[in-house]
Amino acid sequence: MLSFAHRVTQGKIVIDTWQQKIGIIVPSWNTVMEYETQRLCSLGNTGASVHAMRIRHTADTEEKLMGMSTQAPAAAQLLAHAKVNVIGYGCTASGFLHTPAEDRALAERIKAETGIPCATSSRAIVDGLRALGAKKLSLASPYAPWLNERLKQYLTADGFGVLAMQGLATEAHSTITRERILALVDEVVRPETQAIFISCSNFRTLDIIDGIEQKYNLPVVTSNASMMWAMLRLMNDQRDVPGAGRLF
């Protein structure tokens, strides 16, 4: 049971107090997720505070990416000390290296151990794409080819088709310019595309979502925007967040 008041605005339930607290688990080198989550809170006029725990991550190898999920439960326990209302596990690639069932199990474990609902980045993306009714995807990311292929395998296992994908084979995710990300999207859009998915919580995408949606008349789902959507829904908050795409 939520401990704060709600109101209905334009037919949607929204939380009517500053008391909501959002907890996020962030890879240690990530400098974008906190920034964009705070901005999303502001754009949506949530009044929420954002509280982050960092977990060690220094390279996009399979071993290190897989290892992050083993650190997440302990990080969630510390976030629980702050009595956050929701927890978001924010490494997209780590989730995609597991099976969908394993990813769901991690969220369920965190909830069982803390009593706090948990969203994972990869499940938030899948749930967001399903909410949009999209099955045929174009994928853009900063990842190396092997990691994009694993991402494709995860999405395929969940019933999606990846029409085209392209990465940048870089670990300097946060340094990529908007112009380069826009060019990357241009490379992957196809006539049959039903949604554009831009992966990575350390990829700066918030400022370009609206422009891409207008250019292609297609919904755009990103790691950080979908995570905010999922966390708000776990708190029974259905508000719109201007600038975050059609998902809201």
Side-chain angles (χ1 to χ4, degrees), residues 142-153:
Y143 307 144
W146 75 269
L147 190 49
N148 268 343
E149 187 59 37
R150 295 291 291 274
L151 170 50
K152 179 181 178 180
Q153 291 172 12

Side-chain angles (χ1 to χ4, degrees), residues 90-243:
C91 182
T92 307
S94 176
F96 283 130
L97 289 181
H98 294 81
T99 66
E102 289 170 337
D103 201 34
R104 284 190 292 268
L106 176 61
E108 291 165 3
R109 176 184 171 184
I110 289 173
K111 181 179 179 181
E113 292 181 356
T114 64
I116 299 167
C118 176
T120 68
S121 181
S122 43
R123 295 315 303 169
I125 290 158
V126 165
D127 290 343
L129 290 167
R130 286 197 175 121
L132 291 164
K135 301 290 285 186
K136 299 178 182 180
L137 313 178
S138 291
L139 164 64
S141 84
Y143 307 144
W146 75 269
L147 190 49
N148 268 343
E149 187 59 37
R150 295 291 291 274
L151 170 50
K152 179 181 178 180
Q153 291 172 12
Y154 184 104
L155 293 168
T156 300
D158 249 328
F160 298 93
V162 177
L163 302 179
M165 63 182 182
Q166 187 60 261
L168 298 174
T170 180
E171 294 187 348
H173 310 153
S174 65
T175 68
I176 306 304
T177 66
R178 299 174 197 166
E179 292 74 20
R180 184 66 189 94
I181 299 173
L182 290 170
L184 192 65
V185 170
D186 285 339
E187 294 178 39
V188 297
V189 174
R190 300 292 183 268
E192 301 84 6
T193 300
Q194 295 175 337
I196 299 165
F197 168 36
I198 308 175
S199 186
C200 186
S201 62
N202 201 25
F203 220 21
R204 289 181 178 266
T205 56
L206 182 55
D207 291 327
I208 59 177
I209 293 174
D210 271 352
I212 296 172
E213 289 194 334
Q214 292 170 18
K215 179 176 180 178
Y216 295 106
N217 193 28
L218 291 169
V220 172
V221 172
T222 71
S223 294
N224 291 333
S226 62
M227 176 63 88
M228 175 59 76
W229 174 83
M231 291 191 296
L232 287 173
R233 270 54 184 176
L234 283 174
M235 293 190 294
N236 197 30
D237 190 321
Q238 302 168 345
R239 76 179 65 231
D240 295 327
V241 179

Side-chain angles (χ1 to χ4, degrees), residues 5-177:
H6 290 69
R7 58 188 166 85
V8 177
T9 300
Q10 297 180 339
K12 294 187 176 183
I13 300 171
V14 300
I15 297 170
D16 196 24
T17 175
W18 60 270
Q19 293 179 20
Q20 58 180 325
K21 297 185 287 292
I22 291 173
I24 54 176
I25 300 170
V26 184
S28 56
W29 72 7
N30 187 312
T31 59
V32 176
M33 185 179 184
E34 290 151 301
Y35 168 73
E36 290 200 341
T37 301
Q38 290 162 353
R39 285 192 58 201
L40 286 160
C41 284
S42 179
L43 289 167
N45 194 30
T46 67
S49 55
V50 179
H51 308 272
M53 276 297 301
R54 310 190 88 74
I55 56 177
R56 183 175 179 81
H57 185 61
T58 56
D60 275 348
T61 64
E62 183 168 359
E63 178 184 10
K64 291 185 182 299
L65 286 165
M66 293 284 283
M68 276 197 289
S69 62
T70 66
Q71 301 176 63
Q77 290 281 2
L78 294 178
L79 282 171
H81 294 177
K83 295 181 171 58
V84 296
N85 303 105
V86 68
I87 293 172
Y89 171 51
C91 182
T92 307
S94 176
F96 283 130
L97 289 181
H98 294 81
T99 66
E102 289 170 337
D103 201 34
R104 284 190 292 268
L106 176 61
E108 291 165 3
R109 176 184 171 184
I110 289 173
K111 181 179 179 181
E113 292 181 356
T114 64
I116 299 167
C118 176
T120 68
S121 181
S122 43
R123 295 315 303 169
I125 290 158
V126 165
D127 290 343
L129 290 167
R130 286 197 175 121
L132 291 164
K135 301 290 285 186
K136 299 178 182 180
L137 313 178
S138 291
L139 164 64
S141 84
Y143 307 144
W146 75 269
L147 190 49
N148 268 343
E149 187 59 37
R150 295 291 291 274
L151 170 50
K152 179 181 178 180
Q153 291 172 12
Y154 184 104
L155 293 168
T156 300
D158 249 328
F160 298 93
V162 177
L163 302 179
M165 63 182 182
Q166 187 60 261
L168 298 174
T170 180
E171 294 187 348
H173 310 153
S174 65
T175 68
I176 306 304
T177 66

